């Protein structure tokens, strides 16, 4: 006998309880601490901070724990929390020239003022599983050296002195904020960069990769990639001057892109830019390539119709919280629209004589 | 939940949303961009509707949530619980007793009255989206009232299938001006959109759009003179309450082709059964 489905509330409660139990896993295994995640899964924490748009390693680690390691779910937790926070003001623009670099490499110059510093990178590791890590490992120690003090100049500035690269025009306009205003097209570069720095790493990587394979190829060199801490300053109205309120670790990538000139621009190198919270190098490089591809119009390049050139396509599909929500909503009941489609298909089949096929519609 | 403001959103955000709602009411059917917030539930799961409900809700309201016409579907339960926790408002499943009704995919069978607000969850607010994927283009088409593409699509349906092959989210024209997506309600519900006594608000969170129909707005489903719009539904009475004119869900009762048709609007169906109406399968096993 048919009874209308009831008990959604209890089903939800039970599902949540089961989820909590599964999250904890086997209780004979020690529980994972938030500090352990923060310290030992730092790159996951960085990704969650970058795409969650909130620089807080402890909260990001907590979100990863709560999300059972599902990083998009963790980003979602951070985003939802972030929107509830009051805004006290805006910081001054950070000066990445004052970065205390842990890593700083240039693919365009063999040596340069400030030097090349590999830093803590996977780059030249041989990807061999380290079975020693499966046992309780000891704490490895790395060699140290005296920090190099002073500013670290940007590689693009060297090229700029010679006039070989497009001038990055200084602009003090307050950039738009897509978390406060609806994202509308056309989007200026500052807004595009904001969208890209929050964008899904995988999506951005795929878009960037497509430009390398010829879909709006833009001949990028990594002019410079730097990772390190920068101070964050804020103007305090009562004081009348700015005060350092903390520091954040950033990854900055500046690409130098070959450019033979267009109707409106002379032959010169052009720029792509990536700036992302934390040590997030794949994302920063991807961002720089996509940024460069999206700049075709201002540089007078042809629209090749490549996906990475299409700001509307890239920006409307790059946010993984929007994408995953809409993708997963098709799990929700659609009985009503499905019923409407059933009726329509039955009617069309009837008229097309398809029902002569025995039992086909049933 | 004293950590959060009444109905979760902060007052500034609510003001911003109310301004968008007022603009929407002033220009019926026009999609107003708004700075949709990240909500603690996923995009695509009613964040637009939730933000609109939160912006119009007062502590004295009585709130009802339906999904597919039912109060007890999981996401309806989840949204109702959200407002119970964050706003502490009274809730109800009775259509006539609710002052704010949030819905996904249905308009209640029972006619709404003045003073009620119906809030729709909208996945894709742009009726032209699947004809033209670019927002920059579709906004231009609306501003120029350039709806030829839509009529061509409907015409092509007729020439190919003999019918307009749209069964839900059937496009409407509002006050002779804007073509509007009524959200994925079955076209059976379309006639209820026009001349409705209640305020109708449409919220699309992920797409950052709000639009509205003030009470007693003219809403016409697009059609052709020789192919008039038809609000169709399964050609059966409800097996539980015997209603002849309500929208029905098809329920599979066994694996031998057994099925029955039941009102999708659970409040409507239960009220009818309580009033003594009965259908062919009420209390009986399905054949």
């Amino acid at each position: 006998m048919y009874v209308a489905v009831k008990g959604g509330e209890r089903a939800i409660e039970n599902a949540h309880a089961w989820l909590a139990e599964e999250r904890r896993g086997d209780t004979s295994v020690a529980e994972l601490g938030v500090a352990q995640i923060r310290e030992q899964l730092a790159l996951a924490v960085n990704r969650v901070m970058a795409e969650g748009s909130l620089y807080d390693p402890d909260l990001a680690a907590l979100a990863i724990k709560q999300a059972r390691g599902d990083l998009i779910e963790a980003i979602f937790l951070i985003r939802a929390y972030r929107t509830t926070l009051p805004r006290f003001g805006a910081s001054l623009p950070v000066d990445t020239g004052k970065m205390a670099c842990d890593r700083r490499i240039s693919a365009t110059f063999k040596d340069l003022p400030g030097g090349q510093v590999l830093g803590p990178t996977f780059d030249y590791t041989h990807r061999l599983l380290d079975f020693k890590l499966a046992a309780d490992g000891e704490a490895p120690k790395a060699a140290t050296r005296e920090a190099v003090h002073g500013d670290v100049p940007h590689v693009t500035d060297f090229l700029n002195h010679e006039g070989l690269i497009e001038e990055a025009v200084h602009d003090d306009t307050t950039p738009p904020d897509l978390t406060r205003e609806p994202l509308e097209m056309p989007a200026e570069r500052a807004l595009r960069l904001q969208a890209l720095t929050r964008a899904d790493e995988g999506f951005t990587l795929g878009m960037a990769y497509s430009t390398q394979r010829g879909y709006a190829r833009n001949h990028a060199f990594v002019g410079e990639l730097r990772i390190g801490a920068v101070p964050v300053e804020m103007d305090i109205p009562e004081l009348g001057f700015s005060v350092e309120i903390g520091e954040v670790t950033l990854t900055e990538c500046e690409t130098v892109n070959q450019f033979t000139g267009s109707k409106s621009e002379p032959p010169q190198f052009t720029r792509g830019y990536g700036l992302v919270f934390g040590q997030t190098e794949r994302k920063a490089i991807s961002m720089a390539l996509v940024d460069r591809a999206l700049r075709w119009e201002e540089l007078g390049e042809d629209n090749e119709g490549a996906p990475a050139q299409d700001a509307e396509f890239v920006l409307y599909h790059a946010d993984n919280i929007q994408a995953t929500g809409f993708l997963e909503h098709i799990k929700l009941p659609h009985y009503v629209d499905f019923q409407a489609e059933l009726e329509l298909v039955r009617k069309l089949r009837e008229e097309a004589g398809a029902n002569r096929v025995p039992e086909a519609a049933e | 939940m004293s950590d959060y403001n009444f109905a979760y959103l902060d007052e500034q955000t609510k003001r911003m949303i109310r301004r968008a709602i007022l603009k929407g009411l002033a220009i019926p059917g026009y999609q107003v961009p708004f700075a949709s917030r990240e909500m603690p539930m996923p995009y695509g799961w009613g964040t637009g509707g939730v933000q609109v409900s939160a912006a119009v809700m007062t502590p004295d309201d009585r709130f009802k949530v339906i999904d597919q016409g039912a109060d007890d579907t999981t996401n309806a339960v989840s949204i109702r619980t959200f407002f119970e926790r964050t706003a502490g408002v009274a809730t109800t499943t009775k259509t006539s007793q609710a002052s704010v009704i949030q819905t996904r995919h249905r308009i209640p069978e029972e006619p709404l009255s003045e003073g009620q607000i119906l809030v729709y969850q909208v996945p894709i607010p742009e009726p032209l989206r699947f004809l033209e994927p670019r927002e920059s283009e579709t906004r231009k088409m609306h501003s120029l009232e350039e709806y030829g593409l839509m009529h061509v699509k409907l015409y092509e349906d007729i020439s190919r299938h003999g019918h307009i092959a749209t069964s839900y989210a059937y496009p409407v024209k509002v006050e002779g001006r804007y073509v509007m997506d009524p959200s994925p309600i079955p076209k059976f519900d379309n006639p209820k959109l026009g001349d409705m006594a209640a305020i109708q608000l449409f919220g699309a969170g992920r797409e950052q759009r709000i639009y509205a129909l003030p009470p007693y707005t003219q809403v016409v489903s697009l059609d052709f003179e020789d192919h008039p719009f038809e609000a169709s539904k399964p050609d059966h009475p409800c097996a539980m309450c015997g209603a002849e004119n309500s929208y029905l869900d098809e329920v599979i009762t066994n694996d031998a082709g057994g099925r029955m048709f039941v009102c999708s609007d659970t409040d409507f169906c239960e009220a009818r059964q309580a009033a003594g109406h009965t259908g062919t399968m009420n209390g009986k096993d399905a054949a």
Side-chain angles (χ1 to χ4, degrees):
Chain A
M1 174 186 144
Y2 172 77
V3 182
V5 184
K6 281 279 177 195
E9 202 151 350
R10 209 180 63 222
I12 290 174
E13 275 169 27
N14 289 342
H16 290 176
W18 194 355
L19 173 69
E21 192 179 303
E22 287 288 310
R23 183 196 60 68
R24 177 58 183 87
D26 183 347
T27 50
S28 67
V29 176
E31 176 155 12
L32 188 57
V34 168
Q36 288 174 311
I37 296 171
R38 185 193 65 220
E39 296 303 316
Q40 298 174 41
L41 296 177
L43 299 187
V45 168
N46 287 344
R47 180 172 173 196
V48 171
M49 293 196 301
E51 294 170 36
S53 289
L54 183 72
Y55 196 93
D56 190 320
D58 290 301
L59 287 181
L62 171 63
I64 291 168
K65 177 172 175 172
Q66 187 179 333
R68 307 176 66 198
D70 179 337
L71 295 190
I72 291 183
E73 182 66 25
I75 292 159
F76 186 8
L77 289 168
I78 291 297
R79 290 268 192 97
Y81 176 71
R82 176 193 189 279
T83 38
T84 66
L85 299 175
R87 298 187 170 210
F88 299 118
S91 68
L92 300 180
V94 295
D95 181 358
T96 54
K98 296 199 186 311
M99 182 183 280
C101 293
D102 286 341
R103 172 163 166 78
R104 193 267 192 137
I105 53 167
S106 169
T108 51
F109 294 100
K110 190 168 182 182
D111 202 4
L112 62 166
Q116 303 249 21
V117 181
L118 278 184
T121 175
F122 290 122
D123 281 357
Y124 305 101
T125 60
H126 295 144
R127 270 59 170 202
L128 303 171
L129 272 178
D130 181 358
F131 293 103
K132 274 186 300 189
L133 281 180
D136 287 336
E138 62 218 54
K141 276 258 176 268
T144 58
R145 72 161 200 202
E146 199 64 31
V148 182
H149 293 285
D151 294 357
V152 185
H154 284 99
V155 166
T156 46
D157 290 342
F158 307 144
L159 289 166
N160 203 18
H161 295 324
E162 280 190 71
L164 289 174
I165 194 164
E166 57 159 320
E167 187 95 39
V169 185
H170 188 85
D171 184 357
D172 275 331
T173 325
T174 304
D177 181 354
L178 63 82
T179 69
R180 297 279 116 173
E181 296 295 326
L183 178 61
E184 292 190 80
M185 297 293 148
E188 61 178 278
R189 191 177 179 203
L191 190 61
R192 298 198 301 255
L193 289 171
Q194 185 193 15
L196 288 175
T197 196
R198 289 158 52 94
D200 181 72
E201 179 177 309
F203 179 87
T204 317
L205 171 66
M207 281 290 130
Y209 179 48
S210 74
T211 69
Q212 291 185 291
R213 287 197 66 260
Y215 291 84
R217 180 159 181 241
N218 54 43
H219 313 268
F221 300 101
V222 171
E224 183 172 348
L225 177 77
R226 59 171 68 192
I227 302 173
V230 293
V232 177
E233 290 181 32
M234 196 171 153
D235 268 332
I236 308 293
E238 293 86 337
L239 296 179
F241 53 86
S242 69
V243 174
E244 186 177 325
I245 55 168
E247 58 177 34
V248 295
T249 295
L250 299 175
T251 301
E252 182 184 52
C253 176
E254 290 184 283
T255 56
V256 174
N257 302 68
Q258 203 183 353
F259 181 61
T260 51
S262 66
K263 276 191 202 119
S264 58
E265 303 296 318
Q268 60 185 336
F269 291 108
T270 54
R271 297 164 187 260
Y273 189 70
L275 184 72
V276 187
F277 277 154
Q279 180 174 350
T280 42
E281 160 170 343
R282 181 185 302 122
K283 171 70 178 288
I285 302 170
S286 302
M287 177 178 168
L289 264 60
V290 177
D291 168 49
R292 177 60 187 77
L294 290 173
R295 297 183 61 216
W296 64 273
E297 208 162 2
E298 63 191 86
L299 295 169
E301 292 176 322
D302 290 336
N303 179 1
E304 296 177 22
Q309 284 181 311
D310 185 336
E312 193 163 332
F313 180 83
V314 173
L315 302 188
Y316 279 150
H317 301 108
D319 188 287
N320 52 26
I321 303 308
Q322 291 176 354
T324 200
F326 197 54
L327 181 103
E328 296 195 40
H329 105 281
I330 61 175
K331 294 183 285 192
L332 289 176
H334 283 79
Y335 324 131
V336 164
D337 351 351
F338 185 70
Q339 188 61 42
E341 288 291 278
L342 265 181
E343 294 301 317
L344 179 67
V345 171
R346 280 182 183 142
K347 189 170 175 185
L348 294 176
R349 282 177 64 86
E350 201 175 308
E351 285 169 8
N355 283 351
R356 276 175 307 210
V357 183
E359 305 281 299
E362 306 288 307
Chain B
M1 291 254 297
S2 54
D3 326 354
Y4 291 103
N5 194 30
F6 174 77
Y8 181 77
L9 293 174
D10 60 274
E11 293 304 314
Q12 284 302 318
T13 299
K14 286 190 210 167
R15 284 178 61 184
M16 176 272 293
I17 295 170
R18 287 177 196 139
R19 281 195 292 266
I21 292 171
L22 288 173
K23 185 169 180 181
L25 286 166
I27 318 170
Y30 171 75
Q31 299 168 54
V32 184
F34 82 112
S36 175
R37 297 291 191 250
E38 270 147 333
M39 299 297 286
M41 60 269 287
Y43 285 120
W45 296 54
T47 56
V50 167
Q51 289 180 79
V52 169
S53 292
V56 299
M57 194 175 281
T58 69
D60 301 331
D61 272 312
R62 188 173 291 275
F63 190 51
K64 171 180 164 83
V65 189
I66 49 173
D67 186 341
Q68 315 296 303
D71 298 88
D72 208 52
T73 38
T74 42
N75 206 43
V77 170
S78 173
I79 291 170
R80 188 167 57 241
T81 314
F82 177 75
F83 281 109
E84 281 169 352
R85 285 172 66 189
T86 60
V89 289
T91 56
T92 181
T93 58
K94 298 216 173 354
T95 301
S96 57
Q97 291 178 11
S99 52
V100 178
I101 302 171
Q102 182 168 329
T103 181
R104 176 168 172 264
H105 295 191
R106 274 312 310 276
I107 298 175
E109 305 291 355
E110 188 178 337
L112 301 184
S113 52
E114 287 179 14
Q116 287 183 302
I117 300 176
L118 184 59
V119 178
Y120 296 77
Q121 300 173 202
V122 181
I124 302 278
E126 179 49 73
L128 307 170
R129 178 59 67 242
F130 300 116
L131 306 172
E132 167 52 61
R134 277 169 202 286
E135 180 68 13
S136 43
E137 287 299 318
T138 51
R139 284 195 82 78
K140 216 176 293 169
M141 289 158 77
H142 282 293
S143 59
L144 298 174
E145 220 174 324
E146 179 51 71
Y147 295 128
L149 203 58
M150 179 62 92
H151 286 106
V152 170
K153 192 255 168 203
L154 298 178
Y155 171 75
E156 282 179 351
D157 273 3
I158 291 169
S159 61
R160 196 171 302 157
H161 310 294
H163 302 280
I164 292 173
T166 300
S167 58
Y168 62 92
Y170 191 102
V172 295
K173 195 162 203 179
V174 179
E175 290 287 338
R177 177 58 181 85
Y178 284 100
V179 168
M180 186 190 96
D181 182 311
S183 88
I185 57 172
K187 67 179 183 175
F188 173 81
D189 280 341
N190 270 29
K192 300 178 197 161
L193 291 159
D195 212 28
M196 188 191 280
I199 295 173
Q200 298 174 78
L201 304 176
F202 299 78
R206 187 179 43 77
E207 298 280 340
Q208 308 187 309
R209 297 289 185 270
I210 283 172
Y211 50 102
L213 297 172
Y216 307 112
T217 300
Q218 184 205 61
V219 180
V220 178
S221 301
L222 299 183
D223 63 358
F224 296 100
E225 272 172 28
D226 49 346
H227 281 271
F229 171 82
E230 196 192 345
S232 62
K233 75 174 206 46
D235 194 16
H236 301 267
C238 170
M240 298 302 285
C241 78
E244 300 274 354
N245 290 312
S246 70
Y247 194 74
L248 302 171
D249 283 339
E250 181 171 335
V251 179
I252 295 177
T253 51
N254 57 39
D255 60 2
R259 69 193 61 207
M260 62 191 283
F261 290 87
V262 188
C263 288
S264 99
D265 184 333
T266 48
D267 173 57
F268 178 77
C269 195
E270 282 161 16
R272 278 181 54 87
Q273 290 178 59
H277 297 281
T278 188
T280 53
M281 286 191 191
N282 201 345
K284 295 188 219 50
D285 280 326

